[in-house]
Amino acid sequence: MASASEPPEVIVKNRFLGFLIWQCIPSTAIFFLFKSFILSSLASTARNKIPFLPSFVGVFSFLSFHLSQLLFSISLSVISSPRPHRPASPLELVLGIFRLLLVPSGESQPPSDFQRRAKVSLGFVLFVAAACVSGLVSVVSICSLSEDSGVMLRIGVRSLAIGLVYGLFYLYKRRWVLEFPIIQRPPFFSFKMGLPLAIKRAFKLSIAAYISSVVLLVVLPHHLQNRMTLGKFVVEQIRFYIGSFAVFLCWELNHHLHQVLHTKRLIFAPPKGSAAAETNPSEPLLAALEDCAESSLIQYLAYLDLCMVCENNVDSWRRAAFFEETGETYKRVIGVCLRPLKELASKLAEGLESCSSEKAYQLSTQLQSPVDSRVDSKYSEPLNDYQLYAWCARTVASLTAHSHTEDRYGVAQLSGSNAAVISVLLSCLLAVEAFMGKKTSLQSPNHLTGVAGIRWATQSSGRREIVVNKKRDGRLHSNAYAMADALRTSIYCVVSVFHEEMLTSAKGSNIGKDWIISSKPPFGTRELLVQKLLLFLDFRAS
């Protein structure tokens, strides 16, 4: 695992350059394996049957193949991001362009959100174009064993189709989003473990692309149609499929290598035993969390490093430095982790509120109960960034739990961080559960039974309610369930450690004062948070 002895920006740049160098190795092996040993056996002349026969055409094919793979790798790195972004739709792009052309420069311009989404859309278009060009050059370079210009032209046109298929598949599956593994392995071992999956996916994609290219043959001009014997036709189809499989395999291995190298843990700490490690070992990590651009790769690597430091005991000396006497470091660490969770709860609350107000008129004008409504995608978009919010929840929960035994100066309790952590986690959990379709309401004191002072409203209740439609985008809903599980686990992590203290506060009716912030939470009310906390204290929250 790399250490941040150099500036993080330099390390990320070196990872990108290292990726461009390392991707040449599997590409070279695949090129020689398929071209010199497999496809050469299908050639019509004896000269083409000799492996590694040096020639100008062979050298040119080798260089053009690598340049095409380099183009694909660069375009892959350009669109990759640790955070999923929502691109602008074609209609939004057209309206935005017309607005830029028609509105004078001194007047209002499109919002910054539109500009960001337009850049994302442009990057996607360029990636698909790069995949088409890379597929064209790569397949022609690896399959051009014949001097027949008609055969090469047909292969070139069909190879454009395989690049288009892969580019669209890559974007549709959101594979451009970096997925950071919590269990870190050596890069070579991680790359080796992904080989079987890459081969399997390349095989499936090559079949789909071959079928698509066969359909393309029907619409080709007459002079490009196949006019050859059955044997030559079969050989051409076999050559094209093997060549497309080789290209898909290269792309899959490049994608996997890119994921392995860019998601490797980066340790944001000075070398152990140095003067910086003795005085202020947390400053490089906090600088990356607070000063780096939002949603940048460096910031995500810093959050990953912080989560592993707080959860594991490998770098216990770094976690011990968080509990320094002044408490400033601890408050900064808790603050940078609670900020994304507060934004998530606030965004979901804003979406649920707009959803309720939007349907209020329908409830007053029609006799339907309940009214299903959907939260606007712009409000539920943060749920796509599940891994960052899960890191933040796990970090603050682990750090709060460790403060019970490792906080010698009591900075966690004296600074009010414990109450802030519990309040934000509960508020965020209530917001996510409301997004999933659960409706919460406070019970009157006359109906409270034990610690279960919260009930879930059902459709059989007497009054009409607005409930969020559970049938929504599958990815968002699965992320919501995963986020809810991470939040519940984090809250139970704190509750299990401070169970005796919380029980004492609950018996004295001070649990709201001791463990809930006095200000308004991002979602819900203080009373609702208290009742939810009592459910966790009784181990009945699910």
Side-chain angles (χ1 to χ4, degrees):
M1 288 173 285
S3 177
S5 56
E6 297 180 347
E9 295 81 1
V10 176
I11 295 178
V12 173
K13 181 181 178 180
N14 292 338
R15 287 187 178 185
F16 170 69
L17 296 177
F19 162 66
L20 296 182
I21 295 174
W22 283 103
Q23 61 91 24
C24 296
I25 298 178
S27 300
T28 301
I30 292 173
F31 179 83
F32 283 114
L33 173 64
F34 282 85
K35 186 175 180 66
S36 299
F37 289 103
I38 299 178
L39 291 178
S40 63
S41 62
L42 301 175
S44 57
T45 61
R47 182 177 62 86
N48 288 328
K49 291 183 179 180
I50 303 176
F52 304 105
L53 182 64
S55 65
F56 173 78
V57 176
V59 173
F60 180 78
S61 299
F62 177 76
L63 294 178
S64 60
F65 181 82
H66 272 289
L67 288 177
S68 65
Q69 295 300 313
L70 184 63
L71 172 65
F72 176 81
S73 299
I74 293 176
S75 64
L76 176 65
S77 299
V78 168
I79 68 167
S80 65
S81 171
R83 182 174 188 173
H85 299 292
R86 184 163 59 102
S89 63
L91 179 59
E92 291 174 332
L93 289 175
V94 172
L95 293 178
I97 293 174
F98 272 108
R99 186 175 180 181
L100 287 174
L101 296 177
L102 299 178
V103 177
S105 58
E107 299 183 10
S108 61
Q109 296 293 328
S112 58
D113 181 67
F114 167 77
Q115 296 178 0
R116 177 185 60 82
R117 293 172 59 196
K119 291 180 180 179
V120 173
S121 300
L122 179 61
F124 288 170
V125 172
L126 294 178
F127 171 76
V128 174
C132 292
V133 174
S134 178
L136 168 64
V137 178
S138 298
V139 176
V140 170
S141 299
I142 205 170
C143 293
S144 60
L145 301 178
S146 173
E147 298 179 358
D148 188 352
S149 59
V151 174
M152 293 181 60
L153 191 57
R154 282 193 298 272
I155 291 179
V157 173
R158 296 176 66 184
S159 61
L160 285 173
I162 75 168
L164 179 63
V165 168
Y166 189 84
L168 296 178
F169 170 81
Y170 197 88
L171 298 179
Y172 175 74
K173 290 295 186 179
R174 304 166 70 96
R175 302 182 65 199
W176 47 276
V177 181
L178 296 174
E179 297 181 358
F180 296 81
I182 291 296
I183 301 177
Q184 294 282 325
R185 299 182 177 92
F188 177 76
F189 184 73
S190 299
F191 179 75
K192 183 181 67 173
M193 289 190 63
L195 288 179
L197 181 60
I199 296 174
K200 181 180 179 181
R201 186 176 286 121
F203 178 73
K204 292 181 178 180
L205 287 172
S206 59
I207 294 178
Y210 175 79
I211 296 175
S212 302
S213 64
V214 168
V215 176
L216 184 63
L217 285 178
V218 180
V219 299
L220 285 177
H222 180 70
H223 65 280
L224 293 179
Q225 297 289 341
N226 289 337
R227 290 176 291 180
M228 59 181 66
T229 61
L230 179 61
K232 290 184 178 180
F233 174 78
V234 173
V235 170
E236 179 182 336
Q237 304 309 307
I238 295 176
R239 282 171 44 198
F240 176 78
Y241 175 78
I242 294 177
S244 62
F245 172 76
V247 173
F248 277 126
L249 183 57
C250 286
W251 288 348
E252 284 297 312
L253 293 179
N254 290 347
H255 162 74
H256 180 56
L257 180 64
H258 181 270
Q259 290 273 345
V260 169
L261 294 181
H262 284 76
T263 59
K264 182 175 60 175
R265 181 190 176 189
L266 177 60
I267 300 178
F268 290 81
K272 191 174 182 180
S274 61
E278 297 294 335
T279 56
N280 196 0
S282 305
E283 190 57 34
L285 177 61
L286 291 172
L289 291 171
E290 297 173 344
D291 301 335
C292 291
E294 186 178 359
S295 304
S296 63
L297 177 59
I298 298 176
Q299 189 183 61
Y300 272 68
L301 290 172
Y303 273 110
L304 173 62
D305 182 47
L306 176 61
C307 182
M308 299 187 70
V309 169
C310 294
E311 285 191 333
N312 305 323
N313 293 323
V314 177
D315 297 326
S316 57
W317 65 278
R318 293 180 59 193
R319 187 174 63 230
F322 296 155
F323 302 102
E324 48 91 14
E325 187 174 2
T326 63
E328 291 299 323
T329 302
Y330 186 84
K331 288 190 290 185
R332 290 172 65 185
V333 171
I334 294 295
V336 295
C337 292
L338 292 184
R339 184 177 65 247
L341 295 175
K342 291 179 181 178
E343 294 175 355
L344 173 62
S346 301
K347 198 73 172 179
L348 291 177
E350 184 180 353
L352 293 169
E353 183 179 354
S354 65
C355 177
S356 299
S357 60
E358 179 182 334
K359 295 299 178 179
Y361 177 75
Q362 297 184 19
L363 281 173
S364 61
T365 57
Q366 59 185 357
L367 298 177
Q368 294 181 359
S369 174
V371 175
D372 288 341
S373 57
R374 292 180 180 270
V375 178
D376 196 317
S377 58
K378 68 178 180 180
Y379 298 111
S380 56
E381 182 181 357
L383 283 174
N384 286 323
D385 197 13
Y386 156 76
Q387 57 184 358
L388 176 63
Y389 298 120
W391 289 341
C392 292
R394 293 164 53 181
T395 297
V396 294
S398 299
L399 199 57
T400 303
H402 283 292
S403 69
H404 191 265
T405 55
E406 299 179 10
D407 186 7
R408 296 179 298 172
Y409 304 104
V411 296
Q413 186 69 29
L414 295 176
S415 62
S417 298
N418 288 353
V421 168
I422 289 295
S423 300
V424 172
L425 290 178
L426 289 171
S427 184
C428 193
L429 176 60
L430 289 172
V432 174
E433 288 181 340
F435 173 81
M436 294 190 308
K438 288 185 176 181
K439 192 69 176 180
T440 59
S441 59
L442 285 170
Q443 288 187 353
S444 62
N446 296 331
H447 294 86
L448 293 180
T449 56
V451 297
I454 190 171
R455 65 182 175 86
W456 302 109
T458 61
Q459 295 185 5
S460 61
S461 58
R463 68 182 185 277
R464 303 180 187 274
E465 295 187 7
I466 301 174
V467 297
V468 179
N469 189 1
K470 295 184 179 181
K471 295 182 180 179
R472 54 170 53 84
D473 179 54
R475 184 184 296 109
L476 279 177
H477 212 41
S478 62
N479 289 343
Y481 272 102
M483 189 67 223
D485 289 339
L487 290 169
R488 293 190 193 99
T489 304
S490 300
I491 296 173
Y492 273 126
C493 176
V494 179
V495 169
S496 61
V497 174
F498 290 91
H499 192 257
E500 294 297 329
E501 291 86 343
M502 288 184 177
L503 278 180
T504 303
S505 298
K507 292 177 181 179
S509 301
N510 294 324
I511 191 168
K513 179 181 177 181
D514 297 338
W515 291 94
I516 303 297
I517 56 176
S518 58
S519 58
K520 187 181 184 302
F523 182 86
T525 61
R526 295 187 71 252
E527 293 77 11
L528 193 60
L529 265 61
V530 170
Q531 292 188 7
K532 190 71 172 177
L533 179 57
L534 290 175
L535 282 178
F536 277 97
L537 189 58
D538 199 37
F539 297 98
R540 295 172 59 183
S542 59

